[in-house]
Amino acid sequence: MNRVETLLMNNPVRAWLQRSYEVPLLERLGVRLAGADVVEIGCGRGVGTELLLERWGVAHVTALDLDPAMVARARRRLSRHGERVDVRTGDASELPFADASLDAVVDFGVIHHVPAWRDAVAQAVRVLRPGGQFVFEEVTRHALERWSYRTFLEHPEHDRFSPQEFVAELERHGFVLPEPAVTRFFGDFVIGVAVKSATTPSSPL
Ligand SMILES: C[S@@+](CC[C@H](N)C(=O)[O-])C[C@H]1O[C@@H](n2cnc3c(N)ncnc32)[C@H](O)[C@@H]1O
């Protein structure tokens, strides 16, 4: 992230939005993570991980971020949770977990930063056990093409996704969405909960 986006992410307004809008919406879309073993990709400063632990009652979270500075911030924020949380550097497109080993993968606005975003989706399906949830809040091509995003923020320029393309990629990997994903702000955001089906193809074409 560039300096502007870092400021936008590391502030109380972002935390308020996540806590007061995104989390309740995801609950209405069916997120159920009590007792789960979860990875949060791109955890940033750890507000999402805090909500996973304190509001959704997950048993354990591995909080990963590519940026060591964000990892350091998250570690400070989350230290009081002791062994329930493990904060480390890590790449969403190369997850350090065995196949079918986790109950959920949580993505608060990260995959649109990953140049090979389809690899990140493939990794999510690989590490989830059948029935596991992929919980996402993503920023779409519609947002990234706006003047404000182009001028002030930096994102991969190729292979961006629309809400429909993001959901289609999930379905191609065998995810099902018990509740349809929702779009917000004229299609700028796509939010949903996808479940890995028992018959997920191991390597879809
Ligand atoms: C827009 S911020 C979102 C932060 C936090 N999830 C939130 O909602 O406030 C994107 C985060 O993803 C991280 N990131 C970018 N590419 C990543 C990758 N390939 N793997 C893991 N984290 C990544 C960035 O360092 C940044 O902390």
Side-chain angles (χ1 to χ4, degrees):
M1 292 192 299
N2 68 8
R3 196 173 159 72
V4 175
E5 192 167 6
T6 302
L7 288 171
L8 288 173
M9 289 300 115
N10 293 340
N11 80 73
V13 177
R14 168 67 193 137
W16 174 83
L17 192 66
Q18 207 167 0
R19 191 173 286 122
S20 307
Y21 183 75
E22 293 170 9
V23 161
L25 175 56
L26 286 163
E27 287 168 354
R28 289 201 294 281
L29 292 173
V31 82
R32 297 285 178 273
L33 296 183
D37 188 9
V38 176
V39 60
E40 186 189 356
I41 55 173
C43 63
R45 66 182 180 132
V47 173
T49 301
E50 206 167 53
L51 290 164
L52 291 170
L53 290 160
E54 295 175 2
R55 177 149 168 167
W56 286 347
V58 308
H60 183 267
V61 190
T62 305
L64 297 182
D65 202 286
L66 203 53
D67 180 349
M70 292 304 235
V71 170
R73 279 174 180 269
R75 226 173 241 150
R76 282 196 296 277
R77 171 180 286 274
L78 299 165
S79 60
R80 69 179 184 284
H81 290 285
E83 293 189 353
R84 288 179 71 202
V85 63
D86 177 14
V87 190
R88 354 179 189 147
T89 52
D91 187 341
S93 51
E94 221 173 313
L95 291 178
F97 304 99
D99 296 358
S101 59
L102 295 176
D103 300 311
V105 176
V106 177
D107 161 25
F108 282 113
V110 179
I111 284 185
H112 69 284
H113 273 281
V114 181
W117 67 271
R118 294 170 200 276
D119 290 352
V121 171
Q123 285 289 297
V125 75
R126 180 185 69 75
V127 301
L128 281 173
R129 64 167 178 74
Q133 293 189 325
F134 176 56
V135 180
F136 59 93
E137 174 265 320
E138 264 310 327
V139 184
T140 71
R141 182 164 70 223
H142 303 153
L144 302 182
E145 288 174 354
R146 288 187 191 281
W147 176 85
S148 52
Y149 277 79
R150 285 187 285 115
T151 306
F152 297 111
L153 308 176
E154 287 170 10
H155 293 96
E157 295 192 358
H158 301 290
D159 197 23
R160 294 169 167 177
F161 49 81
S162 67
Q164 296 76 14
E165 287 162 349
F166 190 71
V167 170
E169 185 67 7
L170 298 181
E171 290 174 339
R172 197 174 76 84
H173 282 277
F175 279 112
V176 293
L177 283 84
E179 294 293 329
V182 298
T183 57
R184 287 291 182 266
F185 205 73
F186 309 108
D188 281 12
F189 301 94
V190 59
I191 302 168
V193 179
V195 177
K196 177 173 170 174
S197 71
T199 53
T200 296
S202 53
S203 51
L205 296 176

